[in-house]
Amino acid sequence: MQYLVKFNAAGKRETTLVQGIHYNTEEEQQVYIKDGYTLISDEDYQYYIGNRGAGDNGTGYIRDPKTGKPVSAPPAPPVEEEPQEPPVDTERLAVYEAMAAQEERLAAQAERIAALEATLKAKGGESK
């Protein structure tokens, strides 16, 4: 069986056409070849689809532009892990913000009460 495959600039298989399904005649095949498709054997196709393993780097196979044959794809680039922020429970956050606001109001009230008691004491009155 023969396949027409379109490879990207890095040699990765992008589109595959199968003889007898996508095209039947030599003329149809030539139209695809003029459109950038490459005729490959069934054996090479098996590499590109992963039936011959994942290559030396575990990333599959690409087409070597010099030989036209499958070669191991380069290793995958390292992935930099971004620090994961813990999920925010918006309801719980709203409760904590309300509690903090209430504490600020209570502290302000306590300061006013202390000031009033000091004023009352200074005038000779008693405080509780």
Side-chain angles (χ1 to χ4, degrees):
M1 182 166 286
Q2 290 186 332
Y3 299 91
L4 286 172
V5 176
K6 189 174 267 192
F7 295 94
N8 67 14
K12 271 192 107 114
R13 180 180 66 93
E14 289 186 329
T15 308
T16 303
L17 303 174
V18 181
Q19 181 183 24
I21 296 174
H22 299 101
Y23 66 95
N24 291 308
T25 67
E26 182 73 26
E27 293 79 30
E28 290 173 329
Q29 180 181 8
Q30 289 305 314
V31 170
Y32 287 118
I33 290 173
K34 287 179 184 176
D35 191 31
Y37 284 83
T38 303
L39 186 64
I40 64 169
S41 68
D42 183 54
E43 180 60 27
D44 287 352
Y45 179 70
Q46 298 305 314
Y47 279 95
Y48 297 125
I49 64 170
N51 286 345
R52 299 290 185 263
D56 296 338
N57 300 307
T59 53
Y61 290 89
I62 60 171
R63 184 173 190 268
D64 184 329
K66 294 177 184 169
T67 65
K69 291 294 186 184
V71 294
S72 292
V79 177
E80 294 182 29
E81 290 190 31
E82 295 182 20
Q84 297 292 323
E85 292 186 26
V88 176
D89 181 344
T90 55
E91 289 181 30
R92 188 174 286 182
L93 178 62
V95 168
Y96 285 125
E97 288 173 344
M99 288 171 51
Q102 180 66 18
E103 286 180 19
E104 287 179 25
R105 287 191 295 273
L106 289 173
Q109 287 285 17
E111 287 176 14
R112 282 192 293 229
I113 290 171
L116 289 171
E117 286 177 344
T119 303
L120 184 61
K121 195 172 195 176
K123 291 183 179 180
E126 284 187 33
S127 65
K128 291 186 182 182

